[in-house]
């Protein structure tokens, strides 16, 4: 069995119940560190990968499953796919408890699929929804779960297909 105590996530902050980062009440995790650094980003303070709040995957998992009234977890950032390995293991645990998983990423769906990093692809395989694409300030718009029109929402499981037409 995998020893998850060896896996750490570098977090910026968490919100135990949010209704703006996907459907329903969601436990939202902002990851610290972003290698993409999109021009016009509203979370520039999350770019540095310096340790901020390091937490073991197993400890974060226990915090999440002991949070009442949530239907799932959302990863945002920073760049979640920069910490894909630890998030993959967290996602497997969460899915086994029946929680849905949504992730934002500045990487496009195609970039993740074509990545040489197997954990980026494995993390993708655990998601119910991926919101992809770098924020582009000149394409900013008030869209559901997105900041700019180039970003896409991918429904990767049947769980939230009802939202596809929104």
């Amino acid at each position: 069995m995998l020893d998850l105590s060896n896996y750490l996530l570098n977090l910026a902050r968490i919100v135990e119940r949010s209704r703006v980062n996907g459907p329903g009440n969601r436990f939202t995790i902002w990851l610290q560190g972003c290698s993409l650094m999109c021009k016009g980003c509203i979370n520039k303070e999350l770019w540095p990968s310096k340790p901020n709040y390091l937490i073991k995957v197993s400890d974060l998992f226990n915090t999440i499953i002991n949070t009442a009234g949530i239907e799932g977890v959302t990863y945002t950032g920073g760049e979640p796919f920069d910490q894909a390995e630890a998030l993959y293991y967290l996602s497997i645990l969460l899915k086994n408890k029946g929680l849905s998983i949504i992730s934002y990423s500045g990487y496009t769906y195609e970039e993740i699929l074509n990545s040489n990093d197997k954990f980026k692809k494995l993390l993708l395989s655990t998601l119910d929804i991926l919101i992809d694409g770098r924020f582009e300030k000149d394409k900013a718009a008030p869209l559901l779960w997105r900041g700019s029109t180039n970003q896409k929402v991918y429904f990767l499981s049947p769980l939230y297909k009802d939202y596809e037409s929104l």
Side-chain angles (χ1 to χ4, degrees):
M1 184 168 174
L2 182 67
D3 181 7
L4 292 178
S5 65
N6 294 326
Y7 289 93
L8 294 174
L9 285 163
N10 187 13
L11 307 184
R13 63 185 168 270
I14 60 172
V15 174
E16 290 186 358
R17 280 176 215 81
S18 169
R19 296 191 62 82
V20 298
N21 294 294
N25 281 320
R26 309 199 65 77
F27 191 103
T28 303
I29 302 167
W30 277 266
L31 284 299
Q32 181 70 46
C34 180
S35 60
L36 299 175
M37 298 180 250
C38 302
K39 185 178 179 179
C41 176
I42 62 168
N43 290 326
K44 286 183 181 179
E45 73 279 5
L46 305 185
W47 287 0
S49 293
K50 65 177 176 27
N52 188 26
Y53 172 52
L54 297 176
I55 186 169
K56 292 178 184 177
V57 164
S58 54
D59 291 342
L60 182 56
F61 169 71
N62 288 324
T63 298
I64 294 168
I65 63 167
N66 287 308
T67 302
I70 58 169
E71 73 176 73
V73 178
T74 298
Y75 307 141
T76 189
E79 175 52 56
F81 280 79
D82 286 352
Q83 298 186 56
E85 185 173 2
L87 283 178
Y88 167 69
Y89 292 120
L90 176 62
S91 297
I92 292 296
L93 295 171
L94 295 171
K95 294 297 269 187
N96 286 334
K97 290 294 184 181
L99 294 171
S100 63
I101 310 287
I102 294 174
S103 185
Y104 286 84
S105 180
Y107 294 105
T108 64
Y109 179 75
E110 293 77 18
E111 286 173 320
I112 296 167
L113 286 179
N114 293 321
S115 172
N116 291 325
D117 182 339
K118 74 175 185 177
F119 285 102
K120 286 182 180 176
K121 294 175 197 174
L122 287 169
L123 175 57
L124 182 67
S125 74
T126 68
L127 302 180
D128 295 292
I129 295 176
L130 171 71
I131 298 108
D132 84 337
R134 290 159 183 79
F135 173 75
E136 294 183 20
K137 191 173 183 176
D138 62 328
K139 296 179 181 176
L143 302 166
L144 180 65
W145 308 327
R146 299 172 287 157
S148 59
T149 58
N150 63 295
Q151 296 170 316
K152 295 179 185 164
V153 179
Y154 291 87
F155 295 89
L156 303 174
S157 80
L159 190 58
Y160 295 112
K161 288 288 187 184
D162 293 348
Y163 285 86
E164 225 168 346
S165 62
L166 298 179

